[in-house]
Amino acid sequence: MPKEEPLLRVRRLARIFGSGCSKCTSCTGPLTGTNICSYCHSIVACAGVSFDLYAGEILGVVGESGSGKSTLVQCLYFDSPATAGEAYFKAYKDGQANMLACSVQEKRYIRHHLMGMVYQNPQQGLKLDFTAGGNIAEKLLAAGIYHVGQIRRRAAELLQCTEVPLERMDHLPRFFSGGMQQRVQIAKALANNPPLVFLDEVTTGLDVSVQARVLDLIKKLQRKLGLTMIVISHDLGVIRLLTNRVLVMKSGRVVETGLTDQILEDPQHPYTQLLVSSML
Amino acid sequence: MAEILRVLGLTKIFKLHLLGGKEVIGCKDISFTLGTGEVLGIQGPSGVGKSTVLKCIYRSYVASAGQAFYRSINGVVDLLQVPERDILELRRQEIGYVSQFLRVVPRVSALQVVAESILLQGREESSALREAGRLLMYLGIPKELWDASPATYSGGQQQRVNVARAIITCPRLLLLDEPTASLDEQAKQRVHELILELKQKGTAVLMVSHDRASLEQVADRILFLDCVGDNQTGEVTRRAFEVAHH
Ligand SMILES: Nc1ncnc2c1ncn2[C@@H]1O[C@H](COP(=O)(O)OP(=O)(O)OP(=O)(O)O)[C@@H](O)[C@H]1O
Ligand SMILES: [Mg+2]
Ligand SMILES: [Zn+2]
């Protein structure tokens, strides 16, 4: 098989909330079933997370509430500083430098030019009292595009692409339905054609028919644009629909990785077996 | 006829952690070979592990032991060992699979479901949809239904969508699990014709079927999987034996 380098290589990524001590990682994890260090009471949100992601691939992250899924993605998007570990991103210095250790300016550059994020809560990803177009403009401005005409054209194109009626461009997302707010978030995340997109529980809280439409949209965009994505969801239906491979997390650790259909049909780890059987 | 697949000692034991680590045999020590343009039927009683064999080869299941050497476009690989990344690529380009039951994506039309796999191969959209329509038509799915989700289809119609979806890519290796189980005679014939058409083009086919007549029509050889109970120990062992067919 022709060998190709991963778009993203993550190694031993950890995020500890609290002062941390030498026992933090050994006394937390799936074996003890907790992510709270019993010595210093720090929270080991995730630790020892390693994986490769290839261009065009969609990687799912599943696991119970509190298992560290969002933290993992937030570290990679620089919303939250990683405590330890490395991440090599092909789009940044050809994957030769650890992006987690680069300067604040470089991080801002990577985040605005090379990544997109869709948050579970639209309030986190959108300024609800800015117009939909304005929200998209914000991302374009951050990436150094200042030409007003160009910005409006691109915003219109993106809204069309995410099936938001154009006449809503100058309206406030505060008054949009949940599904439409997520579409605007997706449009914003895709604004600069980023090589890597994160989706955190993108359909949680939407009613079922709206969910289906958003998922359908993501799938279409993925095929059309060849997006590379990390998709967090506790909904195995979403995972089955969108992803090729999956990381299963519990108590801040990855307990199993595999092809999506394999994880769902023949889970190996006791925790994954429980997870899958409880969601059938 | 060049050999394309050689399966050696394929074994799958499920470990059920929710049942205290109970072990269940999926299939045991299965060996066979398959050539290009050959159809190997797999027969045997319910629960004997026929689907398991296919799923291990497709990597939906993690095999416990054995090898499955496959001659890909880029050389011979052991399907049970190659990295996930490569399996995804092989599935996209070379290996098709028709599961026993269709798993449908809500809201996506049957036409789109069928076209999906060639779209992923980079086929242009209108030509992909035309090809999908041609297959659905051939398989007797009325045109009025193409825009509906297969979730709304009858069992037999769903199965035809399932077959169309895999066949459309003209794979080098095709794994079929009961492709004709819920079909009426005419639809069954159509599926047989499609299989034989692929065979002509060199596709190697593994076909699990309960339907003796079906296998007689399309299979070159048949692999029987069987359980042999041992009255003394109460243990059940499995064996596989092969019968040349045509
Ligand atoms: N995912 C699974 N987890 C646990 N046990 C399984 C799983 N899949 C199959 N098995 C077990 O493996 C054995 C073989 O099952 P398999 O589905 O391969 O049978 P089959 O020959 O295809 O049956 P049928 O003809 O009824 O479709 C059965 O004992 C079954 O209960
Ligand atoms: Mg079966
Ligand atoms: Zn500690």
Side-chain angles (χ1 to χ4, degrees):
Chain A
M1 296 262 112
K3 287 290 165 245
E4 112 186 62
E5 272 179 59
L7 180 70
L8 179 69
R9 282 184 295 141
V10 174
R11 295 293 177 268
R12 298 169 303 277
L13 181 78
R15 173 70 170 112
I16 297 174
F17 293 94
S19 53
C21 73
S22 60
K23 302 239 172 51
C24 275
T25 46
S26 58
C27 69
T28 56
L31 282 180
T32 49
T34 177
N35 58 6
I36 302 173
C37 172
S38 50
Y39 295 88
C40 73
H41 307 292
S42 295
I43 295 173
V44 182
C46 66
V49 176
S50 300
F51 63 88
D52 289 340
L53 176 68
Y54 290 85
E57 212 171 35
I58 310 187
L59 180 71
V61 183
V62 297
E64 65 198 358
S65 179
S67 57
K69 308 183 293 290
S70 295
T71 305
L72 166 63
V73 160
Q74 280 161 11
C75 287
L76 295 173
Y77 194 61
F78 310 116
D79 271 337
S80 176
T83 309
E86 291 135 52
Y88 302 92
F89 186 23
K90 192 92 173 89
Y92 169 69
K93 295 194 173 164
D94 202 35
Q96 300 301 306
N98 174 15
M99 70 171 187
L100 300 179
C102 69
S103 71
V104 177
Q105 287 80 359
E106 283 176 306
K107 283 180 181 167
R108 198 176 303 134
Y109 176 87
I110 296 173
R111 183 182 152 105
H112 291 319
H113 289 80
L114 306 176
M115 293 176 176
M117 168 74 108
V118 177
Y119 294 92
Q120 173 168 6
N121 185 343
Q123 278 181 23
Q124 222 180 325
L126 296 176
K127 297 208 166 68
L128 297 181
D129 295 317
F130 271 39
T131 64
N135 271 283
I136 296 172
E138 191 192 5
K139 184 89 180 173
L140 294 166
L141 285 166
I145 298 169
Y146 300 113
H147 187 281
V148 177
Q150 199 182 339
I151 288 177
R152 277 196 75 82
R153 254 193 321 277
R154 178 69 180 144
E157 182 182 280
L158 287 158
L159 290 173
Q160 193 165 24
C161 200
T162 53
E163 298 164 13
V164 175
L166 266 190
E167 62 268 23
R168 308 302 302 261
M169 180 149 133
D170 298 314
H171 294 184
L172 307 183
R174 173 169 307 285
F175 305 113
F176 289 6
S177 68
M180 200 172 316
Q181 288 177 343
Q182 289 309 56
R183 284 167 206 279
V184 175
Q185 270 211 86
I186 295 170
K188 180 178 176 181
L190 299 179
N192 297 311
N193 287 315
L196 180 57
V197 179
F198 304 108
L199 302 177
D200 191 352
E201 301 282 7
V202 61
T203 58
T204 309
L206 302 178
D207 72 52
V208 180
S209 67
V210 178
Q211 252 187 39
R213 239 173 297 146
V214 172
L215 292 174
D216 195 16
L217 171 70
I218 294 168
K219 246 190 118 66
K220 256 195 232 149
L221 291 172
Q222 198 273 333
R223 203 177 49 221
K224 208 164 97 194
L225 308 173
L227 299 175
T228 308
M229 302 194 273
I230 298 183
V231 175
I232 297 178
S233 183
H234 67 265
D235 181 341
L236 292 182
V238 171
I239 292 293
R240 184 191 293 281
L241 203 62
L242 293 182
T243 70
N244 312 117
R245 289 192 303 127
V246 180
L247 304 180
V248 183
M249 293 189 68
K250 166 146 174 65
S251 309
R253 307 304 144 85
V254 173
V255 295
E256 182 169 357
T257 68
L259 296 166
T260 302
D261 53 321
Q262 179 255 299
I263 293 289
L264 296 176
E265 292 184 43
D266 186 22
Q268 306 292 299
H269 191 276
Y271 172 68
T272 319
Q273 291 190 358
L274 183 65
L275 189 74
V276 170
S277 76
S278 64
M279 288 184 186
L280 287 181
Chain B
M1 185 167 52
E3 183 178 299
I4 190 167
L5 181 69
R6 172 177 291 258
V7 172
L8 295 172
L10 178 61
T11 299
K12 172 63 185 171
I13 316 262
F14 296 97
K15 187 159 181 149
L16 308 180
H17 292 285
L18 299 183
L19 298 178
K22 178 173 187 251
E23 295 197 337
V24 175
I25 298 176
C27 65
K28 206 164 169 187
D29 202 18
I30 308 289
S31 302
F32 61 87
T33 64
L34 180 66
T36 55
E38 187 178 31
V39 180
L40 177 64
I42 302 183
Q43 244 195 335
S46 186
V48 77
K50 305 181 294 295
S51 300
T52 303
V53 170
L54 296 192
K55 287 184 180 189
C56 286
I57 293 171
Y58 196 63
R59 280 280 284 276
S60 292
Y61 285 175
V62 181
S64 311
Q67 287 137 325
F69 295 110
Y70 168 70
R71 187 180 303 282
S72 77
I73 292 170
N74 298 301
V76 176
V77 293
D78 180 353
L79 293 175
L80 309 187
Q81 299 293 335
V82 294
E84 287 159 5
R85 169 85 187 142
D86 295 349
I87 284 291
L88 289 170
E89 194 53 23
L90 287 168
R91 287 180 179 182
R92 196 162 72 87
Q93 301 289 3
E94 303 186 29
I95 303 181
Y97 170 58
V98 176
S99 57
Q100 196 165 2
F101 306 101
L102 176 71
R103 209 181 287 285
V104 289
V105 181
R107 244 186 65 91
V108 177
S109 75
L111 199 62
Q112 200 73 41
V113 166
V114 174
E116 168 97 6
S117 37
I118 46 177
L119 285 171
L120 286 174
Q121 291 183 336
R123 182 83 73 90
E124 183 265 321
E125 177 141 14
S126 63
S127 130
L129 292 175
R130 215 163 27 228
E131 179 70 12
R134 195 187 64 83
L135 266 178
L136 286 176
M137 179 82 81
Y138 187 74
L139 288 169
I141 307 287
K143 202 164 179 174
E144 304 77 67
L145 294 183
W146 294 358
D147 290 329
S149 159
T152 63
Y153 282 18
S154 74
Q157 288 169 336
Q158 289 192 4
Q159 189 58 348
R160 280 176 276 171
V161 169
N162 219 3
V163 169
R165 173 163 75 165
I167 273 182
I168 196 170
T169 63
C170 198
R172 297 180 74 235
L173 174 63
L174 179 60
L175 311 171
L176 298 172
D177 200 349
E178 304 283 4
T180 57
S182 36
L183 300 188
D184 61 37
E185 207 42 51
Q186 192 192 354
K188 200 184 278 187
Q189 286 312 320
R190 288 286 165 96
V191 169
H192 291 163
E193 281 156 29
L194 287 175
I195 294 171
L196 291 172
E197 211 175 281
L198 284 180
K199 173 179 157 66
Q200 285 305 317
K201 293 184 190 158
T203 298
V205 182
L206 267 182
M207 174 165 156
V208 168
S209 181
H210 276 109
D211 185 344
R212 183 76 215 204
S214 229
L215 287 180
E216 265 171 19
Q217 271 200 38
V218 296
D220 299 297
R221 289 180 298 138
I222 293 176
L223 183 74
F224 285 93
L225 302 189
D226 205 355
C227 294
V228 186
D230 180 331
N231 290 334
Q232 249 109 85
T233 62
E235 248 184 36
V236 177
T237 58
R238 279 127 201 273
R239 59 186 177 148
F241 55 93
E242 202 176 298
V243 176
H245 179 60
H246 283 160

